[in-house]
Amino acid sequence: MFTGLVEEIGEVEQLVQLDDAVRIAVRAPKVTEDAAPGDSIAVDGVCLTVVDNQAGTFTADVMRETLDRSRLGSYTRGSRVNLERALAAGQRMGGHIVQGHVDG
């Protein structure tokens, strides 16, 4: 779950075409400081799962459905993106409770 409040503006460093997806690498020192594989980060409001996190850059795989139904499909190297880490239990909430999932 997310609040919808932007924590950091990140930058797309790399886009790698996979079979029916794209692996995106986003430079984001703040939201990656405690990120681990499997964690969720909202990228322009879309929930993505961290695949890897190294040196302030995280990677995530974005499926075709998500690319087609969100602005993530228009990203190029250098695109700036709004980022937010998922809420932790017991954390103070501002904003709204949102999921960020693309279901279809």
Side-chain angles (χ1 to χ4, degrees):
M1 300 300 252
F2 301 93
T3 64
L5 300 175
V6 175
E7 286 187 79
E8 178 176 19
I9 305 294
E11 183 176 331
V12 175
E13 288 191 335
Q14 186 177 38
L15 298 158
V16 177
Q17 185 64 49
L18 305 174
D19 287 338
D20 196 29
V22 168
R23 179 159 291 168
I24 184 173
V26 178
R27 176 91 179 127
K30 182 176 181 175
V31 301
T32 59
E33 65 191 8
D34 61 353
D39 287 350
S40 295
I41 296 177
V43 178
D44 283 341
V46 177
C47 178
L48 298 181
T49 302
V50 175
V51 173
D52 192 23
N53 175 24
Q54 293 190 18
T57 298
F58 76 93
T59 59
D61 294 341
V62 185
M63 301 299 111
R64 173 60 39 208
E65 187 76 12
T66 301
L67 293 167
D68 290 345
R69 297 188 180 272
S70 70
R71 70 176 303 245
L72 277 67
S74 68
Y75 290 167
T76 59
R77 191 170 187 272
S79 292
R80 293 171 51 85
V81 295
N82 296 320
L83 302 170
E84 178 191 359
R85 290 175 281 197
L87 286 169
Q91 185 176 354
R92 183 177 173 274
M93 279 191 293
H96 308 278
I97 296 176
V98 294
Q99 288 185 4
H101 295 167
V102 175
D103 293 324

